[in-house]
């Protein structure tokens, strides 16, 4: 039997890296090169996740109905090439909203399909699917460590065009590599039974709400912590970078530990531990004023991401074992919805005082934890 794990590993690096090199510089590009107003930039950041939620969920349903996941990934990556080509050759406001936003949203479809396909492959061919998908998740996280520095290096030392060229090449490689992926046979259910599997499953609905609400809280922290540290507390500007680096460093080993422990103590307990950690972090955060304490408590958001963000995808897949495409898309869309709403929490800040945001985050973390507690345990962890 041919070993396809290395194909999945390459795919799990290519598409997340392509996203990680273009996402951090978009606001800068839209301001300096296309000269958009702040209201139009905000519109871009609202429309993109809305399109992403719609397209990933539709693609998940189509793939679960029998369409080859590898072909969906190829089509998705091709749209990534198209989007970057428009930025490279003919950037304009009109094309941005009517062509690039839909293309970029479709380019993100491939990410969820890689993990849905890896899930099916792991169950059929490997001893532990959760260990395999956790490895892929760790690689995806690693790409976000490498991508942003690369993006700013290209923009500062060469040009925006060089960045879009590299991003387009990464998507092109992903499209070509997708043809080497295995065609995993799967049981196909009709559309009505698929719909009922989600809408009539209270645990899936509660889990979606839980993940979304907790990510609202987490995003409220992530979007404002640099402002809180530098503007409200007047601490060194380098401190937020150190906090992010420590969290990113700790996240990957905790992720592997969580995958191993989930088999022993249960997936739900791991997720609940992550929710409790987020709640504790949000309670401590507005009380913290010293740099050394900020660096010490960076462990807490790392633990949350390594458990809820990494194991959450597996939880959805275990609750919806017959439709892994839609299960994976539901998880990613819960995160996206949380990030969109969480970014808007900055409006709560008053005169450079960001502490009230973290108080709201603590309440949201508690609500998310309560919804998570009532979610049923998966029958098995594969």
């Amino acid at each position: 039997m041919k070993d396809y794990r290395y194909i999945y590993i390459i795919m799990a690096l290519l598409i997340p890296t392509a996203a990680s090199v273009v996402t951090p510089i978009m606001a800068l590009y839209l301001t300096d090169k296309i000269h958009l107003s702040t209201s139009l930039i905000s519109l871009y950041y609202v429309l993109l996740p809305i399109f992403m939620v719609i397209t990933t969920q539709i693609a998940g349903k189509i793939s679960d109905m029998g369409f080859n996941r590898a072909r969906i990934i190829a089509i998705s990556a091709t749209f990534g090439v198209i989007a970057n080509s428009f930025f490279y050759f003919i950037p304009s406001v009109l094309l941005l909203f009517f062509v690039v936003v839909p293309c970029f949203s479709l380019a993100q479809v491939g990410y969820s399909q890689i993990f849905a396909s890896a899930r099916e492959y792991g169950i059929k061919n490997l001893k532990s699917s959760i260990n395999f998908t956790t490895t892929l998740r760790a690689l995806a996280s690693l790409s976000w460590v490498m991508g942003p520095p690369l993006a700013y290096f290209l923009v500062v030392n060469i040009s925006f065009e060089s960045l879009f060229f590299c991003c387009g090449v990464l998507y092109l490689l992903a499209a070509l590599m997708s043809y080497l992926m295995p065609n995993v046979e799967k049981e196909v259910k009709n559309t009505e039974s698929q719909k009922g599997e989600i809408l009539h499953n209270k645990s899936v609905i509660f889990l979606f709400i839980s993940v979304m609400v907790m990510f609202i809280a987490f995003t409220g922290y992530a979007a404002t912590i640099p402002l809180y540290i530098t503007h409200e507390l007047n601490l060194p500007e380098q401190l937020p970078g150190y906090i992010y680096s420590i969290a990113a460093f700790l996240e990957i080993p905790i992720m592997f530990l969580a995958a191993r422990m989930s088999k022993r103590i249960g997936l739900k307990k791991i997720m609940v531990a992550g929710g409790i950690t987020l709640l504790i972090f949000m309670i401590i955060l507005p009380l913290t004023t010293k740099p050394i304490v900020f660096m010490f408590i960076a462990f807490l958001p790392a633990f949350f991401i390594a458990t809820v963000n990494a194991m959450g995808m597996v939880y959805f897949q275990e609750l919806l074992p017959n439709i892994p495409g839609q299960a994976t898309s539901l998880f990613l869309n819960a995160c996206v919805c949380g990030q969109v709403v969480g970014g808007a929490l900055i409006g709560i800040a008053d005169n450079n005082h960001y502490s009230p945001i973290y108080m709201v985050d603590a309440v949201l973390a508690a609500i998310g934890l309560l919804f998570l507690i009532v979610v049923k345990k998966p029958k098995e962890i594969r």
Side-chain angles (χ1 to χ4, degrees):
M1 181 184 68
K2 188 175 180 180
D3 191 346
Y4 288 97
R5 283 177 293 182
Y6 297 107
I7 303 297
Y8 284 106
I9 287 171
I10 294 171
M11 293 295 288
L13 281 170
L14 285 174
I15 288 183
T17 301
S20 71
V21 297
V22 75
T23 301
I25 58 86
M26 281 310 300
L28 182 65
Y29 176 77
L30 295 176
T31 301
D32 292 353
K33 291 297 182 179
I34 303 187
H35 307 295
L36 292 188
S37 65
T38 53
S39 59
L40 286 178
I41 293 175
S42 298
L43 180 61
Y44 169 84
Y45 280 107
V46 169
L47 289 177
L48 184 61
I50 290 174
F51 272 94
M52 284 175 56
V53 168
I54 295 171
T55 54
T56 53
Q57 207 59 49
I58 292 174
K61 179 175 289 189
I62 292 172
S63 66
D64 290 333
M65 290 172 63
F67 197 88
N68 191 310
R69 297 195 196 282
R71 300 296 84 82
I72 293 177
I73 295 169
I75 295 168
S76 166
T78 301
F79 277 109
V81 175
I82 294 171
N84 283 280
S85 298
F86 274 106
F87 272 138
Y88 186 92
F89 292 108
I90 42 175
S92 73
V93 177
L94 189 64
L95 289 174
L96 173 71
F97 289 104
F98 288 97
V99 178
V100 175
V101 167
C103 285
F104 262 139
S105 66
L106 287 164
Q108 302 310 308
V109 166
Y111 183 77
S112 60
Q113 290 300 312
I114 287 171
F115 283 93
S117 178
R119 170 75 173 172
E120 292 174 328
Y121 176 78
I123 289 173
K124 289 182 177 294
N125 300 288
L126 304 175
K127 291 182 179 179
S128 175
S129 174
I130 189 172
N131 289 340
F132 181 50
T133 53
T134 301
T135 301
L136 299 184
R137 290 282 294 168
L139 291 171
S141 297
L142 183 62
S143 70
W144 279 91
V145 175
M146 302 182 299
L150 175 62
Y152 280 98
F153 174 82
L154 291 172
V155 168
V156 172
N157 294 284
I158 307 178
S159 66
F160 280 105
E161 287 74 18
S162 66
L163 175 71
F164 294 124
F165 176 80
C166 289
C167 188
V169 169
L170 289 171
Y171 276 119
L172 178 60
L173 290 173
L176 296 174
M177 286 293 297
S178 68
Y179 286 93
L180 300 178
M181 292 176 65
N183 182 15
V184 183
E185 294 183 3
K186 52 184 176 287
E187 180 184 352
V188 179
K189 291 199 168 188
N190 62 55
T191 307
E192 289 303 316
S193 64
Q194 288 185 16
K195 186 187 298 183
E197 208 163 342
I198 295 174
L199 296 180
H200 298 151
N201 191 327
K202 291 182 179 179
S203 285
V204 171
I205 296 172
F206 289 154
L207 183 58
F208 183 93
I209 295 171
S210 172
V211 172
M212 181 182 69
V213 171
M214 285 194 285
F215 263 89
I216 293 173
F218 178 80
T219 306
Y221 144 75
T224 59
I225 193 65
L227 300 173
Y228 175 61
I229 286 174
T230 58
H231 290 187
E232 183 171 342
L233 301 180
N234 296 314
L235 294 175
E237 294 181 353
Q238 299 90 341
L239 183 57
Y242 294 142
I243 295 171
Y244 288 141
S245 297
I246 292 170
F249 177 77
L250 294 173
E251 177 185 325
I252 293 175
I254 296 174
M255 195 182 299
F256 282 108
L257 179 63
R260 181 181 294 272
M261 292 301 293
S262 65
K263 287 259 187 180
R264 297 182 181 180
I265 66 174
L267 194 57
K268 181 176 178 177
K269 289 181 180 178
I270 293 292
M271 292 276 290
V272 169
I276 293 172
T277 302
L278 179 66
L279 176 59
I280 293 172
F281 178 66
M282 291 306 172
I283 293 172
I284 294 174
L285 189 59
L287 306 176
T288 305
T289 58
K290 296 182 178 180
I292 188 65
V293 179
F294 275 110
M295 296 176 71
F296 180 76
I297 65 173
F299 162 78
L300 298 174
F303 190 89
F304 167 76
I305 290 295
T307 52
V308 174
N309 193 25
M311 298 297 103
M313 179 184 291
V314 179
Y315 209 157
F316 273 99
Q317 291 171 340
E318 292 293 357
L319 291 176
L320 298 168
N322 298 317
I323 46 175
Q326 292 175 78
T328 308
S329 297
L330 277 172
F331 166 74
L332 295 175
N333 288 338
C335 296
V336 170
C337 291
Q339 289 163 1
V340 171
V341 179
L345 289 180
I346 195 171
I348 299 174
D350 181 36
N351 295 324
N352 286 333
H353 286 86
Y354 299 93
S355 303
I357 295 175
Y358 308 133
M359 298 176 188
V360 173
D361 287 341
V363 173
L364 291 169
I367 293 171
L369 182 59
L370 290 175
F371 272 101
L372 180 59
I373 289 172
V374 298
V375 176
K376 71 176 183 180
K377 296 179 182 178
K379 294 181 180 179
E380 60 177 322
I381 303 174
R382 293 169 290 176

